[in-house]
Amino acid sequence: MEVTKIFLDEDEIPKRWYNIQADLKTPLDPPLNPTTKEPIKPDDLKIIFPMELIKQEVSQEKYIRIPEEILDVYRIWRPTPLYRAVKLEKKLKTPAKIFYKWEGVSPPGSHKPNTAIAQAYYNMKEGVERLTTETGAGQWGSALAFGTCLFDLECTIYMVKISYEQKPYRRILMKAWGAECIPSPSNVTQAGRRILEKDPNSPGSLGIAISEAIEDAATHDDTKYSLGSVLNHVVLHQTIIGLEAKRQLESIDLYPDMVFGCVGGGSNFSGLAFPFVKDKLNGKKPDLDVIACEPMACPTLTKGIYTYDFGDTAQMTPLLKMYTLGHDFVPPPIHAGGLRYHGDAPLLCKLVNERIIEARAFYQNEVFKAADLFAKTEGFLIAPETAHCVKAVIDEALRCKETGEEKVLLFNNSGHGYFDLSAYDAYYEGKLPDYEYPEELVKKALANLSRI
Ligand SMILES: *Cc1c(COP(=O)(O)O)cnc(C)c1O
């Protein structure tokens, strides 16, 4: 009988996060001040982030200790199980061994609370009373609502108005965890009012919601802002996924040949992959293949440009060196809402640029087909975001069938799909279009960026 899942005991939760900045051959290009274009000073960030997170953002320490109070909350659902997808392997008749880390067991149903809990904790320690953030479909908003709830902070979430109206379930979850969820653009901020004056029926966008959340934090002394992906400290907190997975595979004497994850802003992928990429960087496992998976409709890593760009449409955030489709990128309405960001984590982008990590892009119908096969074999109905890397894993497993290779494939199963049933419905009804983001628009965005 093959092993189906591997658990760790509660006391085997990693006690430190892994910081890949310590193992980079050359340092990360610094974020730039949006007005002066000079490297940002830690003090510039103090108005929106607590000191400890600013320190983690630039830290060169290889390991950062996880405070006991954070571990105590992690223990609600961590360590998460590592599954072997035996039934999917059988169906594919592949000699490859497929493993996945299952992050859908957290209360909000994804990997996002790994950082939400940590961010809420450090803000609480520094006397902050309220956090603000933005959310699109609501995955990040619900995770931060959960985190702030457990550390007794208030939480204000600016949710893109069209999602607020069309996707009520995660908004209700935010309410259950005590957060205030405001449809954006709103009357609460100047940024919101300015949009509403021009267009009272604006459906909102992530860029507008970011501007509102930052303005709210910057104009209130007891309030700070929180981001759910992209930044170094967010990626750091997510490495608990890969550190656990490494131990779990070690316990059955295996090491992956290939590691996969889906990429929105890059946090869950990097969280699983970086503890393994460490061994690729230091020569312990030089032939490891690390595959970042994204939508054809938002092909940041496969078609984007590696340059400095703003994190938001309103050009308020620091400039980050990353692959980008341009800060005025308007995502096509694909159903993997969490994968529609124009940029990606600078750490991940640097490693893609140095060919340590490879990127692949997929159409949404082939992605849902993979998710459907996964549900029919492994049982779990996964998030449409996650399904992007399942598609890549299935392709690889079928390649192994041709060559007879017994590769060990590992992917991050970043969340469940129970709040995305209408997307599955559209797929089963044959109503999902396949988008490919056109090369001309990338070139046009480059023209806009060269002025920075
Ligand atoms: C938000 C989300 C993603 C994408 O975000 P990353 O920062 O790239 O990890 C992927 N999967 C799920 C389930 C999500 O909720």
PDB file of all heavy atoms in Angstrom, residues 87-104:
ATOM      1  N   LYS A  87      -4.282   8.487  -6.466  1.00  0.00           N
ATOM      2  CA  LYS A  87      -5.387   8.178  -7.385  1.00  0.00           C
ATOM      3  C   LYS A  87      -5.255   8.956  -8.700  1.00  0.00           C
ATOM      4  O   LYS A  87      -5.626   8.463  -9.760  1.00  0.00           O
ATOM      5  CB  LYS A  87      -6.720   8.445  -6.689  1.00  0.00           C
ATOM      6  CG  LYS A  87      -6.919   7.437  -5.549  1.00  0.00           C
ATOM      7  CD  LYS A  87      -8.129   7.726  -4.704  1.00  0.00           C
ATOM      8  CE  LYS A  87      -8.291   6.642  -3.640  1.00  0.00           C
ATOM      9  NZ  LYS A  87      -7.121   6.615  -2.687  1.00  0.00           N
ATOM     10  N   LEU A  88      -4.702  10.161  -8.616  1.00  0.00           N
ATOM     11  CA  LEU A  88      -4.425  10.919  -9.843  1.00  0.00           C
ATOM     12  C   LEU A  88      -3.308  10.229 -10.634  1.00  0.00           C
ATOM     13  O   LEU A  88      -3.415  10.075 -11.862  1.00  0.00           O
ATOM     14  CB  LEU A  88      -4.024  12.355  -9.495  1.00  0.00           C
ATOM     15  CG  LEU A  88      -3.617  13.244 -10.682  1.00  0.00           C
ATOM     16  CD1 LEU A  88      -4.779  13.439 -11.657  1.00  0.00           C
ATOM     17  CD2 LEU A  88      -3.120  14.611 -10.200  1.00  0.00           C
ATOM     18  N   GLU A  89      -2.255   9.776  -9.936  1.00  0.00           N
ATOM     19  CA  GLU A  89      -1.163   9.046 -10.615  1.00  0.00           C
ATOM     20  C   GLU A  89      -1.704   7.830 -11.368  1.00  0.00           C
ATOM     21  O   GLU A  89      -1.364   7.581 -12.522  1.00  0.00           O
ATOM     22  CB  GLU A  89      -0.130   8.541  -9.587  1.00  0.00           C
ATOM     23  CG  GLU A  89       0.718   9.623  -8.944  1.00  0.00           C
ATOM     24  CD  GLU A  89       1.539   9.066  -7.779  1.00  0.00           C
ATOM     25  OE1 GLU A  89       1.725   7.822  -7.696  1.00  0.00           O
ATOM     26  OE2 GLU A  89       1.966   9.874  -6.934  1.00  0.00           O
ATOM     27  N   LYS A  90      -2.575   7.065 -10.689  1.00  0.00           N
ATOM     28  CA  LYS A  90      -3.134   5.840 -11.299  1.00  0.00           C
ATOM     29  C   LYS A  90      -3.927   6.173 -12.548  1.00  0.00           C
ATOM     30  O   LYS A  90      -3.820   5.516 -13.580  1.00  0.00           O
ATOM     31  CB  LYS A  90      -4.046   5.115 -10.296  1.00  0.00           C
ATOM     32  CG  LYS A  90      -3.279   4.423  -9.184  1.00  0.00           C
ATOM     33  CD  LYS A  90      -3.867   3.045  -8.862  1.00  0.00           C
ATOM     34  CE  LYS A  90      -2.930   2.287  -7.922  1.00  0.00           C
ATOM     35  NZ  LYS A  90      -3.053   2.790  -6.525  1.00  0.00           N
ATOM     36  N   LYS A  91      -4.752   7.230 -12.436  1.00  0.00           N
ATOM     37  CA  LYS A  91      -5.590   7.638 -13.559  1.00  0.00           C
ATOM     38  C   LYS A  91      -4.719   8.028 -14.763  1.00  0.00           C
ATOM     39  O   LYS A  91      -5.040   7.707 -15.906  1.00  0.00           O
ATOM     40  CB  LYS A  91      -6.452   8.840 -13.127  1.00  0.00           C
ATOM     41  CG  LYS A  91      -7.349   9.382 -14.191  1.00  0.00           C
ATOM     42  CD  LYS A  91      -8.571   8.525 -14.344  1.00  0.00           C
ATOM     43  CE  LYS A  91      -9.463   9.001 -15.477  1.00  0.00           C
ATOM     44  NZ  LYS A  91     -10.617   8.118 -15.636  1.00  0.00           N
ATOM     45  N   LEU A  92      -3.609   8.707 -14.483  1.00  0.00           N
ATOM     46  CA  LEU A  92      -2.723   9.168 -15.561  1.00  0.00           C
ATOM     47  C   LEU A  92      -1.793   8.051 -16.039  1.00  0.00           C
ATOM     48  O   LEU A  92      -1.107   8.207 -17.039  1.00  0.00           O
ATOM     49  CB  LEU A  92      -1.879  10.358 -15.074  1.00  0.00           C
ATOM     50  CG  LEU A  92      -2.620  11.636 -14.678  1.00  0.00           C
ATOM     51  CD1 LEU A  92      -1.670  12.645 -14.036  1.00  0.00           C
ATOM     52  CD2 LEU A  92      -3.312  12.266 -15.881  1.00  0.00           C
ATOM     53  N   LYS A  93      -1.746   6.948 -15.293  1.00  0.00           N
ATOM     54  CA  LYS A  93      -0.824   5.827 -15.564  1.00  0.00           C
ATOM     55  C   LYS A  93       0.615   6.322 -15.680  1.00  0.00           C
ATOM     56  O   LYS A  93       1.366   5.946 -16.585  1.00  0.00           O
ATOM     57  CB  LYS A  93      -1.220   5.086 -16.843  1.00  0.00           C
ATOM     58  CG  LYS A  93      -2.620   4.473 -16.797  1.00  0.00           C
ATOM     59  CD  LYS A  93      -2.811   3.490 -17.969  1.00  0.00           C
ATOM     60  CE  LYS A  93      -4.132   2.755 -17.916  1.00  0.00           C
ATOM     61  NZ  LYS A  93      -5.297   3.638 -18.163  1.00  0.00           N
ATOM     62  N   THR A  94       0.983   7.199 -14.740  1.00  0.00           N
ATOM     63  CA  THR A  94       2.326   7.777 -14.778  1.00  0.00           C
ATOM     64  C   THR A  94       3.236   7.100 -13.756  1.00  0.00           C
ATOM     65  O   THR A  94       2.773   6.727 -12.675  1.00  0.00           O
ATOM     66  CB  THR A  94       2.277   9.299 -14.471  1.00  0.00           C
ATOM     67  OG1 THR A  94       3.606   9.808 -14.462  1.00  0.00           O
ATOM     68  CG2 THR A  94       1.625   9.587 -13.123  1.00  0.00           C
ATOM     69  N   PRO A  95       4.511   6.943 -14.094  1.00  0.00           N
ATOM     70  CA  PRO A  95       5.453   6.440 -13.093  1.00  0.00           C
ATOM     71  C   PRO A  95       5.922   7.543 -12.142  1.00  0.00           C
ATOM     72  O   PRO A  95       6.604   7.266 -11.159  1.00  0.00           O
ATOM     73  CB  PRO A  95       6.627   5.933 -13.939  1.00  0.00           C
ATOM     74  CG  PRO A  95       6.585   6.763 -15.188  1.00  0.00           C
ATOM     75  CD  PRO A  95       5.143   7.110 -15.426  1.00  0.00           C
ATOM     76  N   ALA A  96       5.535   8.801 -12.425  1.00  0.00           N
ATOM     77  CA  ALA A  96       5.923   9.914 -11.545  1.00  0.00           C
ATOM     78  C   ALA A  96       5.185   9.804 -10.216  1.00  0.00           C
ATOM     79  O   ALA A  96       4.098   9.247 -10.132  1.00  0.00           O
ATOM     80  CB  ALA A  96       5.590  11.248 -12.210  1.00  0.00           C
ATOM     81  N   LYS A  97       5.824  10.325  -9.175  1.00  0.00           N
ATOM     82  CA  LYS A  97       5.162  10.398  -7.863  1.00  0.00           C
ATOM     83  C   LYS A  97       4.741  11.847  -7.648  1.00  0.00           C
ATOM     84  O   LYS A  97       5.562  12.756  -7.688  1.00  0.00           O
ATOM     85  CB  LYS A  97       6.132   9.998  -6.746  1.00  0.00           C
ATOM     86  CG  LYS A  97       6.586   8.556  -6.773  1.00  0.00           C
ATOM     87  CD  LYS A  97       7.425   8.280  -5.514  1.00  0.00           C
ATOM     88  CE  LYS A  97       7.805   6.830  -5.400  1.00  0.00           C
ATOM     89  NZ  LYS A  97       8.903   6.446  -6.327  1.00  0.00           N
ATOM     90  N   ILE A  98       3.434  12.059  -7.418  1.00  0.00           N
ATOM     91  CA  ILE A  98       2.909  13.430  -7.289  1.00  0.00           C
ATOM     92  C   ILE A  98       2.552  13.712  -5.820  1.00  0.00           C
ATOM     93  O   ILE A  98       1.755  12.978  -5.219  1.00  0.00           O
ATOM     94  CB  ILE A  98       1.653  13.622  -8.167  1.00  0.00           C
ATOM     95  CG1 ILE A  98       1.981  13.321  -9.635  1.00  0.00           C
ATOM     96  CG2 ILE A  98       1.096  15.039  -8.008  1.00  0.00           C
ATOM     97  CD1 ILE A  98       0.773  13.331 -10.566  1.00  0.00           C
ATOM     98  N   PHE A  99       3.145  14.754  -5.265  1.00  0.00           N
ATOM     99  CA  PHE A  99       2.845  15.166  -3.884  1.00  0.00           C
ATOM    100  C   PHE A  99       2.296  16.583  -3.875  1.00  0.00           C
ATOM    101  O   PHE A  99       2.684  17.397  -4.703  1.00  0.00           O
ATOM    102  CB  PHE A  99       4.113  15.144  -3.026  1.00  0.00           C
ATOM    103  CG  PHE A  99       4.615  13.755  -2.736  1.00  0.00           C
ATOM    104  CD1 PHE A  99       5.502  13.121  -3.614  1.00  0.00           C
ATOM    105  CD2 PHE A  99       4.195  13.077  -1.594  1.00  0.00           C
ATOM    106  CE1 PHE A  99       5.947  11.838  -3.355  1.00  0.00           C
ATOM    107  CE2 PHE A  99       4.648  11.789  -1.326  1.00  0.00           C
ATOM    108  CZ  PHE A  99       5.522  11.174  -2.211  1.00  0.00           C
ATOM    109  N   TYR A 100       1.375  16.844  -2.937  1.00  0.00           N
ATOM    110  CA  TYR A 100       0.946  18.237  -2.785  1.00  0.00           C
ATOM    111  C   TYR A 100       0.766  18.605  -1.318  1.00  0.00           C
ATOM    112  O   TYR A 100       0.359  17.809  -0.489  1.00  0.00           O
ATOM    113  CB  TYR A 100      -0.326  18.534  -3.570  1.00  0.00           C
ATOM    114  CG  TYR A 100      -1.573  17.784  -3.169  1.00  0.00           C
ATOM    115  CD1 TYR A 100      -2.445  18.286  -2.208  1.00  0.00           C
ATOM    116  CD2 TYR A 100      -1.895  16.574  -3.778  1.00  0.00           C
ATOM    117  CE1 TYR A 100      -3.598  17.606  -1.864  1.00  0.00           C
ATOM    118  CE2 TYR A 100      -3.042  15.878  -3.433  1.00  0.00           C
ATOM    119  CZ  TYR A 100      -3.889  16.396  -2.475  1.00  0.00           C
ATOM    120  OH  TYR A 100      -5.022  15.720  -2.125  1.00  0.00           O
ATOM    121  N   LYS A 101       1.140  19.859  -1.044  1.00  0.00           N
ATOM    122  CA  LYS A 101       0.964  20.438   0.273  1.00  0.00           C
ATOM    123  C   LYS A 101      -0.426  21.053   0.283  1.00  0.00           C
ATOM    124  O   LYS A 101      -0.772  21.847  -0.608  1.00  0.00           O
ATOM    125  CB  LYS A 101       2.056  21.500   0.458  1.00  0.00           C
ATOM    126  CG  LYS A 101       2.176  22.053   1.828  1.00  0.00           C
ATOM    127  CD  LYS A 101       2.737  21.078   2.815  1.00  0.00           C
ATOM    128  CE  LYS A 101       3.055  21.789   4.124  1.00  0.00           C
ATOM    129  NZ  LYS A 101       2.904  20.887   5.275  1.00  0.00           N
ATOM    130  N   TRP A 102      -1.254  20.713   1.294  1.00  0.00           N
ATOM    131  CA  TRP A 102      -2.667  21.118   1.276  1.00  0.00           C
ATOM    132  C   TRP A 102      -2.932  22.266   2.231  1.00  0.00           C
ATOM    133  O   TRP A 102      -3.050  22.083   3.443  1.00  0.00           O
ATOM    134  CB  TRP A 102      -3.536  19.910   1.590  1.00  0.00           C
ATOM    135  CG  TRP A 102      -5.028  20.087   1.596  1.00  0.00           C
ATOM    136  CD1 TRP A 102      -5.900  19.471   2.456  1.00  0.00           C
ATOM    137  CD2 TRP A 102      -5.862  20.855   0.706  1.00  0.00           C
ATOM    138  NE1 TRP A 102      -7.200  19.819   2.163  1.00  0.00           N
ATOM    139  CE2 TRP A 102      -7.199  20.685   1.101  1.00  0.00           C
ATOM    140  CE3 TRP A 102      -5.605  21.699  -0.381  1.00  0.00           C
ATOM    141  CZ2 TRP A 102      -8.269  21.298   0.454  1.00  0.00           C
ATOM    142  CZ3 TRP A 102      -6.676  22.320  -1.030  1.00  0.00           C
ATOM    143  CH2 TRP A 102      -7.978  22.118  -0.610  1.00  0.00           C
ATOM    144  N   GLU A 103      -2.982  23.485   1.674  1.00  0.00           N
ATOM    145  CA  GLU A 103      -3.175  24.704   2.470  1.00  0.00           C
ATOM    146  C   GLU A 103      -4.652  25.063   2.626  1.00  0.00           C
ATOM    147  O   GLU A 103      -4.985  26.045   3.295  1.00  0.00           O
ATOM    148  CB  GLU A 103      -2.395  25.869   1.843  1.00  0.00           C
ATOM    149  CG  GLU A 103      -0.886  25.716   1.950  1.00  0.00           C
ATOM    150  CD  GLU A 103      -0.383  25.797   3.392  1.00  0.00           C
ATOM    151  OE1 GLU A 103      -0.637  26.799   4.064  1.00  0.00           O
ATOM    152  OE2 GLU A 103       0.256  24.822   3.843  1.00  0.00           O
ATOM    153  N   GLY A 104      -5.539  24.282   1.988  1.00  0.00           N
ATOM    154  CA  GLY A 104      -6.978  24.569   2.073  1.00  0.00           C
ATOM    155  C   GLY A 104      -7.581  24.262   3.439  1.00  0.00           C
ATOM    156  O   GLY A 104      -8.749  24.555   3.673  1.00  0.00           O
TER     157      GLY A 104
END
